[in-house]
Amino acid sequence: MTTLTSPAVPTPRAGILDIAAYVPGRDHAEGVERVFKLSSNETPLGPSPKAIEAVKASAASLEIYPDGGASLLREAIGKRYGIDPARIICGTGSDELLALITNAYIGPGDEGVFSRHGFLVYKINIQGAGGVPVVADETDLTADVDKLLAKVTPKTKIVYLANPNNPTGTYLPFDEVKRLHAALPSNVLLVLDAAYAEYVRANDYASGLELALTAPNVVMTRTFSKVYGLAALRLGWMVGPAAVIDALNRIRGPFNVNAPAIAAGAAAIADDVHLAAALAHNDEWLPKLTREIEAVGLKVTPSVGNFILIHFPETAGRTAQDADAFLLKRGLVMRAVKAYELPHCLRMTIGSAEANERVIEALRDFMRG
Ligand SMILES: Cc1ncc(COP(=O)(O)O)c(C=O)c1O
């Protein structure tokens, strides 16, 4: 029955239409045949051959529902990190786990805190749950513990920290993460998003696994999309207190992770040789690209991930937008990061040696004019 005040069509909850949808990295360049996609932090090495074999084998039984508990994968992750599989939940990308955790802990009017240039999905999830996104300023494009803590109120339910952060590539030393956790009220959940943890070589870094296993209010999310090269399968995992895992298991889809993903993830996480090769490539190119791009006169934020944030001048003809268009013509697809309040920057994924060399050459030409 309609009343005079009812809308004529089904209407999303308040706030849903205020959400700026996530825009994924572009994957093509108009009129260019050979494209190097450096816009989504995918690995140039691809997945482990063992993961590919596992996906092929799983194709033989696509009519069967997957194991709803993803036991094979949770056990493989547990074995790799020495974790009780009961403390692990898997998801369709860590994106799904971030959404589940937000939906479970944030309701209308509740606040979720994250840092100014933090991963955009947090804001989208908070808004989607009817909550209030609260932004804390950063210092030198790095999350700032004191500024995050200053934003915590009695309404705060979650503090999100991408460590390292995308798109800046900066990180907080583990001592700082512990300081943040120690100062948070015990009813506030600290979400440590460690999507790029494998790449980090800094001695003072830790993913947060230790905290997620010991504290009652900390979870850590991880992904198979980056160093493991399984982005197309959408696979992530989370470690946390038993009570949090229990809550998420109640609201997730009954078969939220598909069978090829379960099989591939279990094979990938056991392939140390492939992981070492992917890390060696990044270890070589991250400093080299940073150096070479700085040598053409551009600033690069020091990164610990598999991507770099390049800063461009504001002068006409030399802007980030100009550079993006220039690079695109050569098939070099970067990520514009205006939505992260970084309008003068482009984010570049560490690509293959060929892609990286081409970017260096193109940026040299671009800056010469
Ligand atoms: C910081 C961060 N967290 C989470 C994700 C989501 O990863 P996925 O859903 O592919 O596991 C990304 C992807 O770019 C990311 O950069």
Side-chain angles (χ1 to χ4, degrees):
M1 201 174 74
T2 52
T3 66
L4 282 178
T5 50
S6 317
V9 291
T11 306
R13 274 189 288 110
I16 298 288
L17 299 182
D18 297 332
I19 296 174
Y22 188 84
V23 181
R26 294 161 303 177
D27 59 4
H28 73 283
E30 212 60 59
V32 184
E33 216 163 90
R34 187 108 193 271
V35 166
F36 297 87
K37 184 177 181 230
L38 305 171
S39 56
S40 299
N41 300 342
E42 295 144 345
T43 170
L45 270 74
S48 155
K50 292 177 181 156
I52 296 173
E53 281 312 311
V55 170
K56 285 183 183 163
S58 74
S61 42
L62 293 181
E63 75 283 11
I64 310 289
Y65 276 100
D67 165 17
S71 303
L72 178 79
L73 179 57
R74 288 189 300 109
E75 275 159 26
I77 296 167
K79 189 166 166 215
R80 170 75 178 72
Y81 287 99
I83 313 167
D84 174 0
R87 300 287 296 273
I88 300 169
I89 179 170
C90 298
T92 293
S94 46
D95 276 345
E96 185 195 20
L97 297 166
L98 293 166
L100 285 172
I101 198 111
T102 307
N103 284 323
Y105 290 89
I106 287 188
D110 293 335
E111 297 175 355
V113 178
F114 54 91
S115 69
R116 169 89 39 211
H117 308 292
F119 187 45
L120 268 178
V121 160
Y122 312 144
K123 182 179 179 190
I124 293 171
N125 286 340
I126 296 164
Q127 289 176 294
V132 180
V134 177
V135 178
D137 279 332
E138 301 188 357
T139 299
D140 297 332
L141 297 183
T142 307
D144 182 312
V145 168
D146 297 305
K147 290 175 180 166
L148 285 166
L149 287 171
K151 293 291 179 183
V152 173
T153 75
K155 289 185 178 172
T156 307
K157 292 288 165 31
I158 300 182
V159 173
Y160 302 82
L161 179 72
N163 201 27
N165 184 51
N166 166 25
T168 53
T170 56
Y171 77 102
L172 278 188
F174 193 45
D175 278 350
E176 281 295 278
V177 176
K178 283 195 279 197
R179 188 165 76 83
L180 171 62
H181 172 248
L184 281 179
S186 59
N187 67 331
V188 173
L189 190 61
L190 176 60
V191 174
L192 299 173
D193 173 353
Y196 300 93
E198 293 85 357
Y199 290 108
V200 186
R201 297 307 201 183
N203 288 332
D204 57 359
Y205 173 81
S207 64
L209 181 61
E210 173 197 320
L211 262 187
L213 286 172
T214 51
N217 63 335
V218 180
V219 298
M220 176 199 65
T221 57
R222 301 285 284 263
T223 185
F224 280 94
S225 303
K226 307 301 175 185
V227 79
Y228 290 106
L230 296 174
L233 292 176
R234 310 301 300 119
L235 188 59
W237 54 283
M238 193 191 93
V239 169
V244 178
I245 301 295
D246 175 51
L248 299 206
N249 273 324
R250 288 167 192 263
I251 59 168
R252 69 172 170 85
F255 308 102
N256 64 325
V257 182
N258 69 73
I262 292 171
I269 207 153
D271 189 348
D272 289 338
V273 174
H274 190 74
L275 176 69
L279 294 181
H281 179 82
N282 207 64
D283 289 344
E284 177 190 349
W285 278 102
L286 178 64
K288 197 163 161 180
L289 269 169
T290 305
R291 242 185 359 254
E292 298 278 336
I293 293 173
E294 283 183 335
V296 310
L298 294 164
K299 191 177 152 233
V300 176
T301 298
S303 168
V304 293
N306 70 333
F307 56 91
I308 50 174
L309 188 70
I310 310 172
H311 299 251
F312 289 85
E314 290 176 45
T315 40
R318 293 283 183 285
T319 66
Q321 221 182 335
D322 296 323
D324 198 18
F326 185 93
L327 293 164
L328 210 55
K329 281 195 194 131
R330 295 190 185 192
L332 301 164
V333 185
M334 303 278 157
R335 183 66 157 265
V337 282
K338 206 171 156 197
Y340 286 92
E341 300 185 38
L342 296 165
H344 307 302
C345 299
L346 293 178
R347 192 195 68 196
M348 172 195 176
T349 304
I350 310 299
S352 64
E354 183 185 4
N356 299 337
E357 298 283 11
R358 284 183 184 227
V359 170
I360 295 165
E361 194 188 327
L363 286 176
R364 199 174 290 135
D365 293 347
F366 173 73
M367 290 303 282
R368 272 199 203 121

